[in-house]
Amino acid sequence: MIWVRKIFSFRRVFYLFLLLVLTVGIYRYWGVPFRSAYRKYAWWTVQKNTLEQRISVLRLQVAQKKHFVRKLMIDRDFREHVSREQLKYLKANEYVVFFKQEEEIK
């Protein structure tokens, strides 16, 4: 009986209860806001990485377009090729023959 009293003494139960209350209080005061802030941080990190990938793709596209414009300004044969292909320009005494696609025939 004395042994049972020592294990379940009021003082030990009170200290355990106080420790539990302090732990819950500390968690509510610091833990919940920290977890919320960490989730926001993780979301912003994902957004930042996504935007950085998009920026790198757009920079590559800008570099390709600059190269195309530079080549268009410098290379006469390339300029003629582009004008014929995209703008459908013809030289004198040239004809264009269009063929229908298989889907158009049926």
Side-chain angles (χ1 to χ4, degrees):
M1 211 52 170
I2 297 172
W3 182 70
V4 173
R5 257 193 212 165
K6 272 192 163 183
I7 290 177
F8 294 110
S9 70
F10 177 74
R11 181 177 266 171
R12 283 189 179 197
V13 171
F14 176 73
Y15 286 140
L16 286 175
F17 179 74
L18 185 63
L19 181 65
L20 180 67
V21 168
L22 284 174
T23 304
V24 169
I26 290 171
Y27 174 75
R28 294 270 304 163
Y29 187 73
W30 282 309
V32 173
F34 176 77
R35 197 171 78 208
S36 173
Y38 180 75
R39 284 182 182 158
K40 287 180 185 177
Y41 167 76
W43 185 82
W44 283 111
T45 303
V46 168
Q47 293 298 319
K48 177 183 163 243
N49 292 337
T50 303
L51 290 174
E52 284 177 350
Q53 288 174 352
R54 188 168 179 216
I55 286 171
S56 65
V57 167
L58 291 174
R59 282 188 177 150
L60 179 63
Q61 289 177 357
V62 167
Q64 290 172 344
K65 290 179 190 224
K66 281 184 179 180
H67 176 71
F68 178 81
V69 169
R70 190 177 314 116
K71 193 171 179 184
L72 195 62
M73 291 173 64
I74 295 172
D75 192 0
R76 184 180 202 133
D77 294 332
F78 181 72
R79 192 175 330 136
E80 183 179 334
H81 172 72
V82 169
S83 64
R84 288 170 165 267
E85 183 179 301
Q86 292 182 357
L87 303 175
K88 310 285 191 242
Y89 283 151
L90 299 174
K91 288 185 178 179
N93 299 327
E94 286 186 341
Y95 298 99
V96 176
V97 178
F98 292 102
F99 295 99
K100 291 185 177 182
Q101 299 290 334
E102 290 183 22
E103 296 85 28
E104 295 177 4
I105 296 173
K106 294 180 183 178

